[in-house]
Amino acid sequence: MPKPTFFRLPDDRRELVVREAIAEFAEHAYADASLSQIARRTGIAKGSFYQYFEDKLDLYRWLLAEEAPRKKREFLGAVRFDGDFWAGLETYVERGMAFLVEHPGLARLAAAAADPTAAAEVRGLHLAICEAGITELRALLQVGIKGGAIARGIPLDIATRLVSTVIGPGLTDIVLRELGAELHEVLASTSLQRELGPARRRRLAHAAVLFIRGGLGNPQSKTKKERHR
Amino acid sequence: MPKPTFFRLPDDRRELVVREAIAEFAEHAYADASLSQIARRTGIAKGSFYQYFEDKLDLYRWLLAEEAPRKKREFLGAVRFDGDFWAGLETYVERGMAFLVEHPGLARLAAAAADPTAAAEVRGLHLAICEAGITELRALLQVGIKGGAIARGIPLDIATRLVSTVIGPGLTDIVLRELGAELHEVLASTSLQRELGPARRRRLAHAAVLFIRGGLGNPQSKTKKERHR
Amino acid sequence: MPKPTFFRLPDDRRELVVREAIAEFAEHAYADASLSQIARRTGIAKGSFYQYFEDKLDLYRWLLAEEAPRKKREFLGAVRFDGDFWAGLETYVERGMAFLVEHPGLARLAAAAADPTAAAEVRGLHLAICEAGITELRALLQVGIKGGAIARGIPLDIATRLVSTVIGPGLTDIVLRELGAELHEVLASTSLQRELGPARRRRLAHAAVLFIRGGLGNPQSKTKKERHR
Amino acid sequence: MPKPTFFRLPDDRRELVVREAIAEFAEHAYADASLSQIARRTGIAKGSFYQYFEDKLDLYRWLLAEEAPRKKREFLGAVRFDGDFWAGLETYVERGMAFLVEHPGLARLAAAAADPTAAAEVRGLHLAICEAGITELRALLQVGIKGGAIARGIPLDIATRLVSTVIGPGLTDIVLRELGAELHEVLASTSLQRELGPARRRRLAHAAVLFIRGGLGNPQSKTKKERHR
DNA sequence: TATGAATGAGTTTTCATTCAT
DNA sequence: AATGAATGAAAACTCATTCAT
């Protein structure tokens, strides 16, 4: 955890640190991300970082396990899944894409947890993050099962991981291709909004959910949204 | 390309180099993988690697672009998709899992190409590898479309990427959880065969294809395989 | 250019670095001079040099293009050529020899710019230094021409280069033989003063100028200095 | 000295070695010249060089102390200094420039001996070469003194070194500027002949000798050549 | 609390030389 | 005689971390 000093920092300074640290860790895997580089980016003395954090890992862990999820939750807000499950999922996916478009660094950081070649020091952390995501998604799918939207053809655990992959790396990948850009450029960019607007995002979300629904869905339950396609 | 010297090496030495290099690059992203470390692993002098390869990138490129695909092709053999498309895909997926179980290092190496935080020097290479994989898969799906197995609900490009994600990182992830192991332990292990045998692999492949088929499939076309489930 | 850190260093440390760097570069051509060696000479950690300079070239460039000329200008002071041109040249040459005797490392460093086998990275730099020297000398000779001291027998450009060679490598060479020492011993030595005192230097400077004057001089113009020899 | 094996080599192979070794040593100072590079240039196995020479130094020494002087002597032939001394010197200088133009590598190699930053291993060798050159030139100037062409204004030793500098590095420098090229490019070039033809060389030689003669010459002795200028 | 200089372990790469075939 | 694979020492350079001010 960051040291108390960090939280006592003036807001703008603390946010500067957070912003540039996210950018650095989004652009490079943990082992290649460089504290020296973050110091350069921010113009803050290298030594100061050791007043704020124990070490590089402490900073990374906090960003990945606390800050990124917090901001993501805040951005996504609450999505209702108990009415029309598939419509709920579509909203959820669309908001995820909006998050990617508006906070590519954070989104990338969150995705980094899935990298299996990560340095030894961060493996445990990554695993925990992944499991947390899976657990959340599994709970969500269970809502779909209870509501009758999801059929029991595929074991829940497997289904969860498949869905996780589709709406995680899968959609990220598609979004990047849409943008015609490598992640790297996206991170540097400022207004992706213009390039992948809400309408396009909705269409993509719809296609993805259509795909998932086909794979998991209960043929009995039809929704209005589904029918007019 | 490796230097001629490398190909003239005694088989055991060359294989030692290949094996340990794959392990190193499977365990670490390109930038963190270390030639010094490979030298230590193999007990071969650091200088010798520069008799075999131009530099670190040369070795990596060869492994990723030549050796891994070659071994994978060899392992997978030819799969027929023109009969029962979904049965073909299931076989294809099952063999992919077998490859992962028997050559986890190679499989991981091939997957590394999807890492968007890769060092600048390898980005072009990674992109090319990814595109090649996508192109191959798209051709494959087109066979499914022609044969009537795949419906036209989702644009081909998007469908291709979704499927790619499912049978790539998606299944890899699932297999690893099944094995209850992190990738780096898997890389060290020798007999995964015992732990994820053919029967289990077939069941997983079936679930995955069921998922994809639901998402893309044409409800009109039923196969025998499908019915007795 | 050196980093600000370097200029903020305590004087003794900065001078230690400068002194040993000059010695290293005076003893070895750029490509063979070693930062590791300078680190060893000074007892300063290798890494510290990269706090002071961008890289090896940065240090070399600064020494060669800034520090050596600065110290030389400071040492030489202003020499008047508009009175008796040949007497002015003699003073100039004598002071040059004094500089060589008191700052052999710097003098050698400056001379290194003439080495045509220099590594590719420094060729441009060397060329620029050489041209600057030639340009300065040419301007000086033009003063001699205007004052009537120099006759027009030899084209100015050629004359400039010949004179440059005589008072540059030519005199350096002679001085070293006088000292009966190889350059690298001279570099290590501290009191050349004793061994090549002012009187001897004056005699050498006189001979050199006599030589040049014969080659370029206008027989019409005689100076007092000349006559009483 | 080269091993007997070297002299038993087929002529073309031996000459290939000599040619490329000269080129390498002409382009780089001893320490930077690379046997590996010569091996690459010639296509001869690195190991073979150790059948021909003890080591890198052995090769270098032989080239510098034996082969270069031999070829230079052969090229220059005998020049008569006992008639008109200054005309003799002019011929000598002109032939020296022709040698530079036709064998830039050899000429550069010979000049390398004057480099005072040479690696420790070759310093003794360089010193000896230089002394030999100086001794030869001193003998030559003594002929001029005996014949009355040279006056006694400047001590012989100093005069010798001044002249040596003028006709050595001085003229080389001028020739290169004339060619508008850096040494490096000259070494790669094949037909300098075209670019610095005999007429131009004669004019340069004349200017240089005029310069030297002014510096050392006896005003009493006039030659025909001198008068029509 | 902020700074930034100091450090040394680590990396990639080159090279002369040896030696078995 | 020729080969070319093997080697280890050395280079330039980067980085996380410490610590005195």
Side-chain angles (χ1 to χ4, degrees), chain A:
Chain A
M1 280 298 285
K3 301 181 180 176
T5 315
F6 179 63
F7 297 109
R8 267 185 247 123
L9 241 34
D11 284 359
D12 54 350
R13 190 174 175 90
R14 194 174 55 248
E15 276 155 23
L16 175 65
V17 168
V18 170
R19 177 167 13 106
E20 297 303 330
I22 287 172
E24 177 72 9
F25 285 117
E27 285 167 26
H28 306 94
Y30 173 75
D32 300 323
S34 151
L35 266 195
S36 302
Q37 186 58 35
I38 299 177
R40 253 172 262 136
R41 280 168 182 268
T42 54
I44 292 174
K46 238 183 324 186
S48 297
F49 284 86
Y50 288 84
Q51 308 269 20
Y52 308 152
F53 306 96
E54 293 300 333
D55 52 20
K56 183 179 162 184
L57 184 54
D58 186 35
L59 164 56
Y60 182 70
R61 181 174 17 222
W62 179 70
L63 284 177
L64 191 57
E66 315 259 340
E67 192 61 4
R70 194 183 61 72
K71 290 204 171 166
K72 189 167 188 185
R73 267 195 310 275
E74 198 176 283
F75 184 95
L76 294 187
V79 176
R80 310 285 315 228
F81 284 88
D82 42 5
D84 182 338
F85 177 80
W86 296 113
L89 187 62
E90 206 168 312
T91 305
Y92 182 78
V93 165
E94 196 274 333
R95 286 201 200 159
M97 278 194 290
F99 183 68
L100 171 60
V101 164
E102 293 202 14
H103 299 287
L106 275 172
R108 169 59 214 156
L109 190 55
D115 176 14
T117 57
E121 310 117 272
V122 297
R123 266 183 220 140
L125 175 60
H126 281 188
L127 201 62
I129 304 275
C130 282
E131 282 314 308
I134 288 291
T135 301
E136 189 194 322
L137 186 60
R138 189 191 295 111
L140 212 149
L141 293 188
Q142 249 157 347
V143 173
I145 291 175
K146 276 197 191 127
I150 294 179
R152 289 307 193 85
I154 295 176
L156 179 57
D157 272 351
I158 292 182
T160 306
R161 290 185 187 281
L162 289 174
V163 173
S164 169
T165 311
V166 167
I167 70 181
L171 274 182
T172 301
D173 189 35
I174 288 173
V175 165
L176 290 178
R177 303 303 153 178
E178 289 275 327
L179 296 172
E182 291 183 67
L183 179 87
H184 209 253
E185 299 161 22
V186 173
L187 292 174
S189 166
T190 49
S191 65
L192 294 174
Q193 184 64 21
R194 221 181 23 206
E195 307 179 45
L196 191 81
R200 181 67 186 142
R201 291 206 304 268
R202 265 194 298 279
R203 233 167 306 133
L204 283 171
H206 186 72
V209 170
L210 206 59
F211 181 78
I212 294 168
R213 182 176 184 175
L216 301 181
N218 184 347
Q220 256 70 60
S221 92
K222 293 279 171 199
T223 70
K224 279 162 263 169
K225 187 143 199 179
E226 169 79 6
R227 253 168 278 146
H228 66 80
R229 267 265 145 182

Side-chain angles (χ1 to χ4, degrees), chain C residues 1-9 14 17-18 21 48-67 70:
Chain C
M1 281 297 285
K3 300 182 181 178
T5 308
F6 178 64
F7 297 109
R8 267 186 245 120
L9 241 34
R14 194 176 52 252
V17 168
V18 169
S48 296
F49 283 87
Y50 291 86
Q51 305 263 29
Y52 308 153
F53 307 97
E54 293 297 336
D55 52 19
K56 182 179 161 185
L57 185 53
D58 187 34
L59 164 55
Y60 183 69
R61 183 179 8 229
W62 178 70
L63 286 177
L64 190 56
E66 315 257 343
E67 192 60 3
R70 193 184 62 72

Side-chain angles (χ1 to χ4, degrees), chain B residues 5 8 13 45 47-48 51-52:
Chain B
T5 307
R8 268 187 245 119
R13 190 172 175 96
S48 296
Q51 305 265 28
Y52 307 153

Side-chain angles (χ1 to χ4, degrees), chain D residues 11-25:
Chain D
D11 284 358
D12 54 349
R13 191 175 176 91
R14 195 174 53 248
E15 276 155 23
L16 175 66
V17 168
V18 170
R19 176 166 15 105
E20 296 304 330
I22 287 172
E24 177 72 10
F25 284 117

Side-chain angles (χ1 to χ4, degrees), chain D residues 109-174:
Chain D
L109 190 54
D115 175 16
T117 56
E121 311 118 274
V122 296
R123 266 183 220 139
L125 176 59
H126 280 188
L127 201 63
I129 303 276
C130 282
E131 283 314 308
I134 288 290
T135 302
E136 188 194 323
L137 186 59
R138 189 191 295 112
L140 213 148
L141 292 187
Q142 250 157 347
V143 172
I145 291 175
K146 275 199 191 121
I150 295 179
R152 288 307 192 85
I154 296 175
L156 180 58
D157 271 350
I158 293 182
T160 306
R161 289 184 189 282
L162 289 173
V163 172
S164 169
T165 312
V166 168
I167 69 181
L171 274 181
T172 302
D173 189 36
I174 289 174

